Amino acid sequence: MSEEGYDHAAVERRWQEAWDDADAYRTSDDVEDPTYVLGMYPYPSGKLHMGHVRNYTITDAYARFRRMQGDDVLHPMGWDAFGLPAENAAKERDTNPRDWTLDCIDTMKGQMESMGFGYDWDREVTTCEPEYYQWNQWLFRRFHEEGLAERRDADVNWCPSCETVLADEQVEGDDELCWRCDTPVEQRELDQWFLSITDYADELVDYIDELEGWPDSVRQMQRNWIGRQHGTRLTFEVDGYGDVEAFTTRADTVYGATFFALAPDHPISEDLIESDEDVHQFVHEEADPDGDEPNGVRTDLTATNPVTGEELPVFVADFVLSDVGTGALMGVPAHDQRDHDFASKMGLPIEPVVAPEPEAEDADADENAEPSPPDVSEAAWPEDGVLVNSGEYTGLDSETARERITADVDGAEEATQYRLRDWGISRQRYWGTPIPIIHCDDCGPVLVPEEDLPVELPEFINTTGNPLDAAEEWKQTTCPDCGADATRETDTMDTFVDSSWYFLRYVSPGRDDVPFDLDRANDWMPVDQYVGGIEHAVMHLLYSRFVTKTLADFEGLEEREPFTNLLAQGMVQLEGQKMSKSKGNVVSPQRIVEEYGADTARLFMMQAAQPERDFDWSEEGVRSTYHFLTRLKNLVEEFDAEAESSGSESDGDDAVAGYVADEIDATVAIAREEYDDLTFNVALREAQDLVGTLRQYREFTDGEPDPDTFQRGLEAAVRLLAPVTPHLAEELHGELGNEGLVVDADWPSVDVDRETAEKRRQLVENTREDVRQIIDVAGIEEPERIDVVVTPEWKYDALEIAIESEADNLISELMQESHIREQGDAAAAYGQDLQAEREALSHTLEPDAEYDALQSAAWLIEREFDAPVRVVRADEVEESVANKAEPGRPAIEIEE
Ligand SMILES: [Zn+2]
Ligand SMILES: [Zn+2]
């Protein structure tokens, strides 16, 4: 490093030890309702990456900020410790998933401590420990008892060579090959456990409206995922098979149906596979539900349109999904693009039956004119409109037609359909929570009794198949119901079960009799601020909402939603690219901490962008952040030395001290609001600007600033930075003569509100800009004197009246005030200005406050233009000069 930096390693170690000794981040069980700040717990994959560092710096900074506001804070951390990567890593390294996982946790915990994250480690949870996962098993039992866990057939990936089930992640490439042996993977049906999240679909979608503290994008993704659609169920008669139900949201287009389509696994299709060679060929060889193009095969069957009586050809088609709706649909190519694509490919008729509403003037010309059908030769017209070619429904608008048809037609009824499916939790893997089920030949699947929980994982066996299946001794057991020989379920749970309730475990992690202390959970939940990646927008966040609702229904939890506010943080990129090991463009947090310290890494990240945004890592940015911290440290230390050496009151300019005091107030007020909104970047810019102002102030006073003001400024800067750079803040907090830790310190207090502070700044900024312009336009080389004239009172009063007034004639209202009327022509002219800009008027500082603010800032103008500056009240100058001034815009007189 070229420039000398401070000894960050020593500083950071010192304060990490001090926090440890003081138990600084412990949340006592007695606190009533702490502010619950939570980062999504990590998967222990080896080392922390920059995404983790950003995620956890956000929660840490916010947690520290809330403490400084006087809140009790709950800020825990744990480990999402189950999952397939640990199994793979164990196999590669010839160890076992448990040892590997615990090693990773050890490393990552050390890294978190070196980052200075203030967690209550007494509440740590590790999901691969039986003390945790027994409660997943308990939860499964409760679901089962309430009828929300169901066992049914489902497709799984099967490798015929390894003779094992594969997770989706283990199926590689477009050819869908086994990740171990490159054999093409087949689909098999196996019995799997499902949790009935669809029972909660309506509540899950309805409550999204209430989640006002969540990003709109996440709310919309959840709505789409649940995919609730209101429509009509129509019954089509298929020859030989009787009534077949089809769901549509567009019953108004029923006259335009030109074909009928069945999902490949619809019972009729499955029957046809046996007898129809073409259907057999299509379903087994050609169907590709994930493909871009709709494919299908024509059968010999026809379906009768229940409204028109028309006979429609029946297809088996891969774009019809059996698990969405009924697995059958009517095809309306004129009004649905996918149906249009299919009809074009198959040469089926395309018949428009809904037309755009006629324009108003056309309707005047001929009220009985039929609207002209849209051109659907190239593409479907999917909008609502007016029905054409639709028998007795012709002329109705789409919505009315849907209602009528649903009411009129035999077998038709209103229906709601969801895209959401039940949550399949069975995984044919070792490193997860064993599903607490015993299979008995006589009794079927039987729940493991609560007193026998946890069902612990057996030793890991390195095998190509499922290690649980190979653990013979573990597998053999007796039936809890009849005592006969029986075998254990060898599937484990989806790890999203673990994370669907872990936030409740932090409330009472030591309880070995219940998953969570209900009273405390009711006091402490919901999580006030949750922070994590957008990739969890649907599954984790939806499952957590679902499980919370079931616990509310069955266990007396009072909250039905787990997370009040959610922040989805953006990515840390390198040259516009996502960092990834495979691309080799990874910046290691460890190296940054060693070279520059954790505080630098944290500050750089938090100031680089708003937390939701992606931003580019910049080594130069890191270095300049480091230099900023070094300079701040020097500023504090030198001040300390000065205080000792002079020890006397500085006779610096009072006005300058006043300006600096105003700036301190403004900074504190603004930073408080910005921290509260988690816009750390804005808060930190304020804090850094304050440090810049203090440094200038010291220069301006030749190293002798007013000690009280300067001390207050440094104190404020240190506290404002403390949530983000906690180690250096502790160091400087002590340096400034404070007792105790800065983590326990109060946020600096101010009398001014943000609005006033910003008006003051704006006034000074505008005034300086005006002076610059005048000097520039008038070509003044060396100004002799600059007068800044504050607005006369009457103009300020007129402005206030204009803002409040609802009168049409503003001028006559102003003239009712005698002190304004007395101003004659000047009042009339100003009144007209106000009238003209009435919509855009805003409150300004009162003339006295304007005078004070400008007086405090005069030194800045003096410095910039190298001329004495006089701030003058309106009544001290001639009327003609005074009347040039306006509220928020002083008049400026420059003498050459
Ligand atoms: Zn294989
Ligand atoms: Zn039995």
Side-chain angles (χ1 to χ4, degrees), residues 518 522-523 551-552 556-560:
L518 182 62
N522 283 338
D523 289 342
L551 292 171
L557 190 63
E558 285 165 9
E559 292 295 337
R560 300 192 71 83

Side-chain angles (χ1 to χ4, degrees), residues 634-881:
N634 293 340
L635 195 66
V636 171
E637 278 167 2
E638 283 159 23
F639 169 69
D640 221 28
E642 283 156 10
E644 271 169 46
S645 65
S646 78
S648 66
E649 285 280 304
S650 159
D651 54 16
D653 189 340
D654 281 352
V656 182
Y659 171 81
V660 174
D662 282 359
E663 273 305 299
I664 296 168
D665 288 347
T667 303
V668 171
I670 294 170
R672 206 203 76 82
E673 277 190 24
E674 299 292 343
Y675 264 114
D676 213 28
D677 291 345
L678 298 115
T679 36
F680 304 105
N681 53 323
V682 182
L684 293 167
R685 187 166 328 116
E686 286 290 329
Q688 287 179 297
D689 286 351
L690 176 61
V691 174
T693 302
L694 292 172
R695 195 177 310 111
Q696 269 187 308
Y697 176 36
R698 196 185 58 175
E699 268 171 43
F700 184 73
T701 54
D702 294 326
E704 292 196 355
D706 171 55
D708 290 345
T709 307
F710 203 71
Q711 165 100 16
R712 192 172 149 253
L714 289 174
E715 294 265 8
V718 166
R719 289 185 197 204
L720 265 46
L721 286 163
V724 178
T725 61
H727 309 88
L728 187 62
E730 292 289 6
E731 186 87 3
L732 302 183
H733 184 70
E735 217 46 92
L736 287 166
N738 293 292
E739 299 286 327
L741 294 168
V742 81
V743 296
D744 300 324
D746 290 334
W747 193 252
S749 59
V750 273
D751 300 329
V752 69
D753 61 81
R754 175 178 185 158
E755 215 188 318
T756 307
E758 287 187 326
K759 271 186 209 152
R760 254 175 358 201
R761 275 189 181 175
Q762 198 59 51
L763 173 71
V764 171
E765 197 38 60
N766 290 349
T767 305
R768 290 174 76 180
E769 186 55 36
D770 283 352
V771 175
R772 263 176 228 136
Q773 279 210 353
I774 292 168
I775 286 179
D776 192 41
V777 170
I780 298 168
E781 304 260 317
E782 281 178 19
E784 284 283 305
R785 198 182 73 195
I786 302 171
D787 281 358
V788 177
V789 184
V790 175
T791 184
E793 291 275 353
W794 70 265
K795 277 197 177 176
Y796 176 78
D797 294 343
L799 172 67
E800 289 293 303
I801 291 169
I803 291 172
E804 301 305 326
S805 165
E806 287 170 9
D808 289 336
N809 190 337
L810 178 60
I811 296 176
S812 73
E813 183 165 343
L814 292 177
M815 293 307 165
Q816 287 167 22
E817 296 292 319
S818 59
H819 76 292
I820 296 175
R821 192 171 60 238
E822 278 166 15
Q823 306 299 323
D825 290 350
Y830 187 54
Q832 261 158 16
D833 290 351
L834 291 175
Q835 175 78 37
E837 284 169 50
R838 231 168 141 182
E839 301 302 313
L841 299 175
S842 61
H843 292 283
T844 62
L845 295 174
E846 288 176 28
D848 279 346
E850 258 193 35
Y851 178 85
D852 291 344
L854 290 167
Q855 191 71 292
S856 299
W859 67 284
L860 278 169
I861 306 174
E862 278 180 8
R863 245 188 140 194
E864 183 174 347
F865 304 101
D866 198 20
V869 171
R870 239 174 25 143
V871 179
V872 198
R873 293 179 196 275
D875 55 13
E876 295 166 20
V877 292
E878 285 185 24
E879 223 174 59
S880 64
V881 175

Side-chain angles (χ1 to χ4, degrees), residues 95-366:
T95 170
N96 65 74
R98 184 184 166 79
D99 289 349
W100 187 80
T101 302
L102 296 183
D103 267 3
C104 290
I105 289 176
D106 213 41
T107 305
M108 289 170 77
K109 190 169 175 180
Q111 287 185 300
M112 286 180 176
E113 281 164 340
S114 77
M115 286 305 304
F117 298 144
Y119 296 126
D120 181 353
W121 285 112
D122 287 356
R123 296 180 183 275
E124 178 178 8
V125 304
T126 305
T127 59
C128 67
E129 298 291 3
E131 294 75 39
Y132 184 85
Y133 70 68
Q134 67 170 318
W135 300 111
N136 290 338
Q137 294 171 340
W138 171 90
L139 194 67
F140 179 87
R141 275 186 54 92
R142 293 294 295 118
F143 272 100
H144 198 280
E145 286 163 354
E146 299 295 342
L148 288 168
E150 220 189 323
R151 189 171 158 80
R152 55 176 187 261
D153 269 359
D155 284 339
V156 294
N157 306 301
W158 177 262
C159 173
S161 163
C162 300
E163 295 194 316
T164 184
V165 171
L166 300 178
D168 285 340
E169 303 92 309
Q170 295 171 320
V171 180
E172 294 182 336
D174 289 343
D175 297 336
E176 307 198 331
L177 304 178
C178 169
W179 66 302
R180 284 198 207 95
C181 70
D182 287 343
T183 305
V185 168
E186 296 172 358
Q187 298 292 304
R188 273 212 180 175
E189 284 200 341
L190 280 189
D191 277 344
Q192 308 269 281
W193 287 99
F194 288 85
L195 301 184
S196 306
I197 190 172
T198 52
D199 286 13
Y200 284 77
D202 280 322
E203 191 189 335
L204 286 167
V205 75
D206 289 341
Y207 262 70
I208 292 173
D209 295 339
E210 322 274 318
L211 298 176
E212 285 170 8
W214 286 37
D216 286 340
S217 59
V218 174
R219 294 159 80 186
Q220 196 51 44
M221 283 160 87
Q222 293 217 344
R223 280 192 199 99
N224 293 345
W225 187 265
I226 296 166
R228 182 168 65 186
Q229 290 186 309
H230 299 293
T232 306
R233 202 155 27 223
L234 292 169
T235 307
F236 289 70
E237 201 194 322
V238 175
D239 38 20
Y241 292 95
D243 289 347
V244 177
E245 288 187 335
F247 174 87
T248 178
T249 57
R250 295 297 305 272
D252 54 319
T253 65
V254 70
Y255 278 80
T258 59
F259 68 93
F260 192 75
L262 299 166
D265 56 351
H266 191 279
I268 297 178
S269 309
E270 292 193 331
D271 193 43
L272 291 174
I273 289 171
E274 307 297 323
S275 57
D276 186 326
E277 189 58 36
D278 293 345
V279 173
H280 186 276
Q281 161 91 7
F282 172 76
V283 171
H284 287 290
E285 310 280 329
E286 291 156 23
D288 179 14
D290 302 324
D292 296 333
E293 247 185 51
N295 303 303
V297 62
R298 190 168 184 150
T299 69
D300 299 332
L301 304 176
T302 58
T304 309
N305 186 324
V307 183
T308 65
E310 210 180 332
E311 303 272 297
L312 304 175
V314 175
F315 289 79
V316 175
D318 60 6
F319 61 88
V320 190
L321 301 177
S322 63
D323 48 5
V324 179
T326 60
L329 58 80
M330 64 168 190
V332 185
H335 301 292
D336 180 276
Q337 190 54 44
R338 195 198 41 206
D339 293 353
H340 193 281
D341 294 344
F342 186 71
S344 304
K345 191 170 165 180
M346 295 291 168
L348 296 165
I350 300 173
E351 293 167 3
V353 292
V354 181
E357 299 262 7
E359 301 279 327
E361 56 265 38
D362 296 348
D364 283 345
D366 181 357

Side-chain angles (χ1 to χ4, degrees), residues 439-444 446 478-486:
H439 295 284
C440 168
D441 284 344
D442 292 330
C443 313
V446 180
T478 51
C479 171
D481 280 3
C482 72
D485 286 348

